[in-house]
Amino acid sequence: GAVAAGAEGAGAAAGMAAAGAEVRSLSELEARAAARRDRPAYGHDALIACDRLVRIFTTDGVEVQALQGLDLLVTEGELMALVGASGSGKSTLMNILAGLDVPTAGQAKVAGRDLLSMDAKARLDYRREVVGFVWQQTARNLLPYLTAAQNVSLPLQLRGRRAKGRSTRADDLLTLLEVAHCRDRRPHQMSGGEQQRVAIAVALANNPSVLLADEPTGELDSATAEQIFAAFRKANEELGTTIVIVTHDQSVADEVRRTVAIRDGRTSTEVLRRTHLDEQTGEESVTSREYAMLDRAGRLQLPREYTEALGMEHRVLLELEQDHIQVWPDGE
Ligand SMILES: Nc1ncnc2c1ncn2[C@@H]1O[C@H](COP(=O)(O)OP(=O)(O)OP(=O)(O)O)[C@@H](O)[C@H]1O
């Protein structure tokens, strides 16, 4: 700063000043290179980090790219939803995150575990300790011949927990999810909504880092579905569990803070919901904003409704402004 400038001034000769500038810019470059080197890796602090994830299925010699370079970061403690049309790749992603399927390429890490390089034993541990699941089919979540309490106790038993601790944990979880009255009932003696809330308790039994739910409200009416979302919110708030819900139901965006849309095997847009409290009136208002995802190569997917409305095709004109970028239809 001032000292260097003073020294240069004393040097007087133009050549010396130029040399000084060169030295400065070299050290500047070095500093910039160092900053780049020290920059943390993509998603280093995320609980779930999917990096250019690819999954290709081959059936009868025909290739289907179910995931085409999907990027997704989920922070610890988040409650978020993944939405997308049928065939967009939601279940494929879910099966990978659940440790049931292995991606073709890319990277996927959950709670520090690398989903591409796990061996069979690590995979089994992962499924038992790191993730819990709730599936759409209520019958897939619970064993029919066990009561609600026994269903919740089972994963604890597999982990070698003592009977007394198991029963307390089961009662606590059933109470938290407001199905304590179902404690001694078998699945066929419960409503669909009750079964799914017990299923959430089962999934939470071993205190997983992540709870994955694939279309958990698919077989329920909308009022019951709302109760299930409330149950997920409660588990998220009270236990701090990170929860990812997959659904084709767009209205889920009203139930969670972040909704990520998957289109053609990639994350395309994101809706964030914020609640504001008006300090004068004390009234709460909710705003939702839609964001597009910008990948590390700078690629951006514009919503089809937008591009069609303006007849944008193949090529668009860009203009950099002070605080935004303008995108114009190609007028040529
Ligand atoms: N095991 C498989 N073998 C071959 N193709 C598959 C397999 N699983 C999925 N696919 C294909 O991959 C694509 C994505 O499927 P995926 O099940 O992930 O979609 P989805 O978004 O979950 O759809 P839905 O909402 O209908 O369940 C589809 O084209 C599907 O046909």
Side-chain angles (χ1 to χ4, degrees):
V3 176
E8 263 166 37
M16 272 188 77
E22 221 164 80
V23 168
R24 234 194 344 264
S25 72
L26 188 63
S27 63
E28 220 169 77
L29 277 180
E30 277 172 354
R32 229 183 281 169
R36 210 168 261 261
R37 233 186 349 262
D38 296 341
R39 196 160 53 185
Y42 169 82
H44 73 106
D45 58 353
L47 188 69
I48 299 178
C50 297
D51 184 3
R52 289 173 269 197
L53 211 54
V54 174
R55 178 67 171 106
I56 300 172
F57 293 107
T58 316
T59 22
D60 304 327
V62 180
E63 278 193 357
V64 177
Q65 275 218 27
L67 298 180
Q68 313 192 19
L70 176 136
D71 293 331
L72 175 72
L73 297 179
V74 180
T75 316
E76 186 162 14
E78 238 191 290
L79 165 65
M80 59 94 64
L82 291 167
V83 298
S86 180
S88 56
K90 305 182 300 291
S91 301
T92 303
L93 174 62
M94 216 52 170
N95 284 329
I96 290 171
L97 294 179
L100 300 170
D101 186 26
V102 187
T104 311
Q107 280 197 7
K109 281 194 179 154
V110 178
R113 319 274 177 119
D114 184 339
L115 301 192
L116 275 91
S117 66
M118 284 193 295
D119 60 15
K121 173 165 187 318
R123 204 162 279 284
L124 192 65
D125 289 345
Y126 174 81
R127 291 207 293 263
R128 283 195 183 150
E129 294 165 23
V130 182
V131 283
F133 341 90
V134 177
W135 306 104
Q136 171 174 357
Q137 304 85 348
T138 44
R140 188 172 170 189
N141 293 314
L142 303 174
L143 288 172
Y145 47 87
L146 295 183
T147 64
Q150 288 167 339
N151 266 289
V152 182
S153 291
L154 190 63
L156 296 164
Q157 201 171 347
L158 294 175
R159 286 283 295 280
R161 289 270 297 264
R162 282 162 195 261
K164 189 148 179 294
R166 291 202 303 262
S167 143
T168 317
R169 174 93 179 138
D171 286 348
D172 288 351
L173 286 169
L174 293 173
T175 305
L176 176 77
L177 296 159
E178 296 172 22
V179 276
H181 58 281
C182 298
R183 188 182 191 289
D184 300 315
R185 294 193 207 165
R186 291 182 217 293
H188 74 272
Q189 297 165 312
M190 299 181 233
S191 71
E194 286 167 342
Q195 288 182 38
Q196 283 309 62
R197 278 182 283 160
V198 173
I200 298 173
V202 173
L204 290 168
N206 277 328
N207 206 10
S209 304
V210 184
L211 179 61
L212 303 171
D214 196 356
E215 300 279 3
T217 60
E219 292 181 352
L220 306 173
D221 60 67
S222 60
T224 313
E226 213 153 290
Q227 288 176 6
I228 300 302
F229 286 122
F232 280 121
R233 272 197 299 269
K234 197 156 183 198
N236 172 254
E237 280 160 20
E238 308 239 333
L239 307 174
T241 315
T242 307
I243 303 181
V244 178
I245 304 171
V246 159
T247 177
H248 65 269
D249 180 359
Q250 299 283 342
S251 74
V252 74
D254 299 332
E255 307 284 346
V256 297
R257 203 167 330 118
R258 182 162 78 115
T259 305
V260 173
I262 298 189
R263 190 188 293 163
D264 303 330
R266 277 201 200 119
T267 41
S268 59
T269 56
E270 203 169 301
V271 174
L272 295 185
R273 241 172 115 256
R274 289 205 179 85
T275 20
H276 299 277
L277 188 68
D278 189 315
E279 292 191 355
Q280 252 120 57
T281 64
E283 265 176 49
E284 254 188 19
S285 61
V286 181
T287 52
S288 291
R289 302 203 74 169
E290 184 166 333
Y291 294 79
M293 304 314 295
L294 184 67
D295 77 8
R296 276 167 299 151
R299 276 183 296 253
L300 179 76
Q301 189 174 27
L302 299 173
R304 195 167 294 151
E305 313 88 81
Y306 292 17
T307 53
E308 281 177 0
L310 295 172
M312 290 177 172
E313 262 186 323
H314 310 305
R315 198 163 71 169
V316 291
L317 185 66
L318 300 178
E319 248 170 75
L320 180 63
E321 296 289 327
Q322 196 113 40
D323 59 354
H324 66 280
I325 299 167
Q326 296 188 343
V327 185
W328 302 88
D330 180 9
E332 291 297 307

